Amino acid sequence: MIEVKDLTFSYGKDKEALHGLSFTVADGEIFGFLGPNGSGKSTTQKILTGILKRYGGSVTLFGKDLKNAHTQEFFRNIGVLFEFPYLYANLSALDNLRYFASFYPKEQLRDPEELLDELEFKRDFLRKPVSSYSKGMRQRVSMARALISNPRLLFLDEPTSGMDPTGAVLFRSIIEKERQKGTTIFITTHNMFDADLLCDRVALLSNGNIAALDTPRNLKEQNSSRSIAVSYLHQGRRREATITAPELKNGFPFAYDEIVSIHSQEPTLEDIFIQYTGRRLS
């Protein structure tokens, strides 16, 4: 679906944002592009969606060179959720969606009201202007805008930004439903929790370079100390011990009356990111 080779981009002299990125995204894959603000995530997405031009290297989408693919057919096959909602503030949610839907063939479209219902948008705000919406409500309308045309390729920039925990769970569920339909999804985010739950593979980006690229599971396993934290009771006192996984073959190497809890201490994706790049995400 996406093939990128030696991608470079500069905003001016001595302001190179991307330093030769290479990666592929398979059909139906959820691919995470992860890194802190300023790492090159949004720049890459803007190139892939045709917003930024004059890049170096090659980019192929739908089997076609992106430089020759800026046609109506190309744009009808992609949906984009920007980090900051791009909506007409004086129009309602429904009017916004009907306007953006007018750029697509009718047979390709989803019903705006049904889509907003799926996104649990408050029905009493359907016809009120966007200017009266909270950030989370605007994010729901923006997601509906990205999905209205049933895109084959979906770009999501910080999809759960501004969402409360319930909204974030809903968005992750909707993203998973899109994958089950066969939609290819490219997520740019610094939210490692979302990436760990959703993504088939992730690229860790730092200062315009890919520091690592693999499945979240492989990255964590390859960098795990394989240690296990055990909480237990012995002689009326609660105690803690840390052991390695191989030690469990012969049972617990300590006396105990009751095991309270056992937790693996594998690193989080954020731990992995810091390990590879030396940078925190915030």
Side-chain angles (χ1 to χ4, degrees), residues 82-224:
F82 298 98
E83 180 179 4
F84 302 103
Y86 285 89
L87 302 167
Y88 289 100
N90 60 322
L91 298 180
S92 68
L94 282 177
D95 287 339
N96 265 281
L97 293 182
R98 287 165 179 160
Y99 173 73
F100 292 118
S102 69
F103 295 100
Y104 301 93
K106 290 184 179 179
E107 62 273 12
Q108 185 179 334
L109 297 172
R110 297 175 65 172
D111 181 87
E113 287 199 46
E114 290 180 3
L115 189 51
L116 288 170
D117 281 344
E118 185 177 346
L119 286 158
E120 298 181 4
F121 187 82
K122 297 177 181 178
R123 292 195 64 85
D124 53 339
F125 278 84
L126 283 175
R127 291 172 174 80
K128 293 182 180 179
V130 167
S131 58
S132 66
Y133 297 173
S134 67
K135 184 175 181 181
M137 292 172 66
R138 295 183 189 209
Q139 192 76 344
R140 282 173 162 82
V141 181
S142 294
M143 178 64 95
R145 173 188 170 179
L147 297 174
I148 192 77
S149 62
N150 275 312
R152 290 173 54 199
L153 176 57
L154 184 60
F155 291 94
L156 303 176
D157 192 359
E158 304 292 353
T160 59
S161 175
M163 306 298 295
D164 61 24
T166 301
V169 169
L170 173 66
F171 267 41
R172 287 193 290 267
S173 173
I174 287 172
I175 292 167
E176 183 58 40
K177 285 180 183 177
E178 286 300 308
R179 182 244 288 279
Q180 291 172 5
K181 287 167 47 180
T183 307
T184 304
I185 303 171
F186 187 92
I187 298 178
T188 54
T189 185
H190 64 263
N191 187 322
M192 295 291 171
F193 183 71
D194 283 350
D196 202 358
L197 289 176
L198 289 169
C199 296
D200 299 301
R201 291 185 302 141
V202 295
L204 306 185
L205 195 67
S206 178
N207 297 320
N209 294 288
I210 294 177
L213 197 164
D214 209 330
T215 67
R217 180 176 180 177
N218 284 347
L219 286 170
K220 289 186 290 185
E221 287 183 352
Q222 291 165 8
N223 294 277
S224 175

Side-chain angles (χ1 to χ4, degrees), residues 8 11 36 52 69 73 77 91 158 168-169 189 203 220 238 244 249 253:
T8 60
Y11 286 101
L52 289 179
E73 181 183 1
N77 281 318
L91 298 180
E158 304 292 353
V169 169
T189 185
K220 289 186 290 185
R238 182 163 181 154
T244 62
K249 290 181 180 179

